[in-house]
Amino acid sequence: MLRFKALPNRWIKVTAPVWAVLQENSAFLTKCVAMGLEIWRINLKLLKSTAETIGAKLFVAKQATLIVPGLPESECDRCKYGNHGFDHNAHIQAYEGIYRVIEQEISPDSIIDVTKISGQSESFHDHVYPTKKGTTQIAEIMSDFLLPHIGSE
């Protein structure tokens, strides 16, 4: 859903046909993506500030996904891009932007890189939901990263 300045107290659901129109106006869509990344940046800063305030160590994971450059068309079909309103390349750019913001805002020793399993077909049911194998891989990556931090402070 999007909130428009002209309608500050109203939300509208953006459906696929509306996304098609928005995609035709690439400048507007580019601005929406940039705004989304800045909102993500603000959220990360709020999380960092909250963790500092309560004396907690913040860890941030880069989300694993089936969506990677060069993904075969048969695998792209599993991603159901039509339901998202933007295509494969736009997803790649979005993930790259999200990862870049994480790298800019979070200390490298606090980033858990779960993307090591990205693009592995057998690890995902669709674009982001992991299979049993995927959940096991994610748990191993997370625990391997976090175990050294347990009891260290």
Side-chain angles (χ1 to χ4, degrees), residues 106-137:
I106 304 298
S107 171
D109 64 337
S110 296
I111 298 173
I112 307 169
D113 190 1
V114 186
T115 64
K116 298 168 187 173
I117 68 163
S118 289
Q120 297 179 17
S121 178
E122 67 282 356
S123 298
F124 297 93
H125 290 291
D126 59 12
H127 62 299
V128 292
Y129 296 102
T131 60
K132 184 175 181 178
K133 178 180 180 176
T135 57
T136 299
Q137 291 172 303

Side-chain angles (χ1 to χ4, degrees), residues 12-131:
I12 63 166
K13 184 175 182 179
V14 180
T15 60
V18 174
W19 272 114
V21 172
L22 291 175
Q23 288 174 322
E24 290 175 11
N25 184 344
S26 63
F28 178 75
L29 195 56
T30 300
K31 185 175 180 179
C32 287
V33 170
M35 287 173 30
L37 290 175
E38 283 312 303
I39 291 167
W40 173 231
R41 182 183 307 282
I42 291 166
N43 286 338
L44 280 177
K45 287 180 177 183
L46 288 170
L47 287 168
K48 279 176 36 178
S49 176
T50 301
E52 289 170 10
T53 299
I54 65 172
K57 175 81 171 149
L58 176 66
F59 297 98
V60 176
K62 292 182 182 178
Q63 181 180 2
T65 177
L66 179 60
I67 302 170
V68 294
L71 189 67
E73 191 66 35
S74 61
E75 297 298 302
C76 287
D77 292 344
R78 293 175 49 204
C79 297
K80 308 278 189 236
Y81 296 127
N83 295 337
H84 307 162
F86 50 105
D87 66 12
H88 179 75
N89 289 331
H91 277 81
I92 296 293
Q93 291 175 351
Y95 277 109
E96 288 172 349
I98 290 166
Y99 300 152
R100 186 172 47 256
V101 170
I102 291 170
E103 291 166 357
Q104 291 168 347
E105 298 298 332
I106 304 298
S107 171
D109 64 337
S110 296
I111 298 173
I112 307 169
D113 190 1
V114 186
T115 64
K116 298 168 187 173
I117 68 163
S118 289
Q120 297 179 17
S121 178
E122 67 282 356
S123 298
F124 297 93
H125 290 291
D126 59 12
H127 62 299
V128 292
Y129 296 102
T131 60

